[in-house]
Amino acid sequence: MERFEEILKKRLDKENYQKIKKIKNVKIQRFIAKYIDICNPESIFVSTGSEEEIGYIREMAKRTGEEKELAIPGHTVHFDGYHDQARDKENTKILVPEGHDLGPYINTKSRKEGLEEIHRLLKNIMQGHTLYILFFSLGPSNSEFSIPCIQLTDSAYVAHSENILYRQGYEDFLKLDTNSERFFKFVHSQGELDERKNSKNIKNRRIYIDTQDNTVYSVNTQYGGNTIGLKKLAMRLSINLASKEGWLTEHMFIMGVHGPKSRVSHFAGAFPSLCGKTSTSMVQGESIVGDDIAFLRRKEGKVRAVNVEKGIFGIIKGINSKDDPLLWKALNSPGDVIFSNILVTEDKKAYWMGKDGEVPDRGYNFSGRWWKGKKDAEGREIPPSHPNARFTLELRLLENMDSQVENPEGVLIKGIILSLIHI
């Protein structure tokens, strides 16, 4: 590989080059140059997190066809490929050194073999695509909880989603010590696309997590759980980091329970997926700090916690006006909301399983044109929206967002709720 400074100068225009050069951490500059050289994008856009840049990415998601506008202002829909609708557990692997054993319940792969394979798949994979370089913070910025993160992706949908879900972190990278290695790195490419703008090479879908280098690789996939690096994929990296530094990363909501005399007691809750974690954190009369992932630290003999995110990437199935009035209002009001794998009606309205009203007769969904009774190649009836259909929105769109969401000290946890399911 050419010297990294030469690659950056050659491949970035003057404005984007200056954005990268302001970051004094040489490891970041080398990382960016390395994957520009390997992935070979047609163009490169560096986002510092300004409103103008965030708006540009939002528009690019529509211009490229990755998202389409819906009837309500600010709402868009994204469709993943028919066979790319959930996390790929089989091809999601922790890369481990030779002879390292994590036990029978964790999917692993030789680090040497995994890195060789992923770099072979990444070679020239972004030809004809734009590479988006983004900077975020897991947890509130300027906090002992925060972890700086850099995302490389050729998907405007992934970039748009992360701008909704995570705090901007470019300024955090400007403050990084020259030799610091305490940051996470994410490399994603959706790969070659078909006429529906879906990843074609699903057989080569790979999601590899390298805890040794704090890097996640994701290729030939678009579904958020495989591609939004800072979510569950980053959780694997932060669990590893927390175990070394003496704190916790947990799959927990954080909510404020309101009592007499304006008292607010914050609780964390660990619920398995699809059993009401988001709904529990959205109980009317209480306030939400976060619905999914928490960082917890012991401070002066007490536990304090922050929400890793500033938004929700939630399952939309079953959300209705009676059971989920706060989410319902946000999902039916103007604002920056992305729906994925739902049904779009002829008048560009969103329908999902469990929504108020009758099931539409026809529309457009993850299978293409859809009508009642439509079946797939195996003869199975295709539902109007996928059971794992999602919505992405910022917490600030919710009326019950807790006032302490951005507190760099976190909230004091008064109790932890555990939901156990017997199998």
Side-chain angles (χ1 to χ4, degrees), residues 158-175:
V158 169
H160 181 197
S161 298
E162 291 190 334
N163 280 334
I164 292 174
L165 290 170
Y166 300 99
R167 299 162 177 95
Q168 296 297 323
Y170 181 72
E171 294 298 321
D172 294 345
F173 277 87
L174 295 183
K175 298 172 186 175

Side-chain angles (χ1 to χ4, degrees), residues 360-395:
D361 291 327
R362 61 188 67 252
Y364 195 86
N365 72 0
F366 60 97
S367 71
R369 288 287 173 188
W370 179 88
W371 56 90
K372 282 185 177 178
K374 182 180 181 180
K375 296 182 179 179
D376 63 16
E378 285 74 41
R380 296 171 297 195
E381 189 166 325
I382 300 173
S385 69
H386 195 276
N388 196 34
R390 298 275 176 157
F391 67 90
T392 305
L393 56 73
E394 285 195 56
L395 287 172

Side-chain angles (χ1 to χ4, degrees), residues 125-184:
I125 198 170
M126 293 187 187
Q127 283 184 328
H129 296 191
T130 296
L131 166 63
Y132 299 93
I133 302 176
L134 308 103
F135 303 89
F136 299 103
S137 173
L138 290 174
S141 295
N142 299 314
S143 165
E144 66 176 312
F145 287 96
S146 61
I147 301 174
C149 299
I150 177 171
Q151 172 79 64
L152 310 186
T153 179
D154 61 1
S155 167
Y157 159 69
V158 169
H160 181 197
S161 298
E162 291 190 334
N163 280 334
I164 292 174
L165 290 170
Y166 300 99
R167 299 162 177 95
Q168 296 297 323
Y170 181 72
E171 294 298 321
D172 294 345
F173 277 87
L174 295 183
K175 298 172 186 175
L176 268 185
D177 181 82
T178 305
N179 296 310
S180 174
E181 296 183 1
R182 197 182 185 277
F183 52 84
F184 294 163

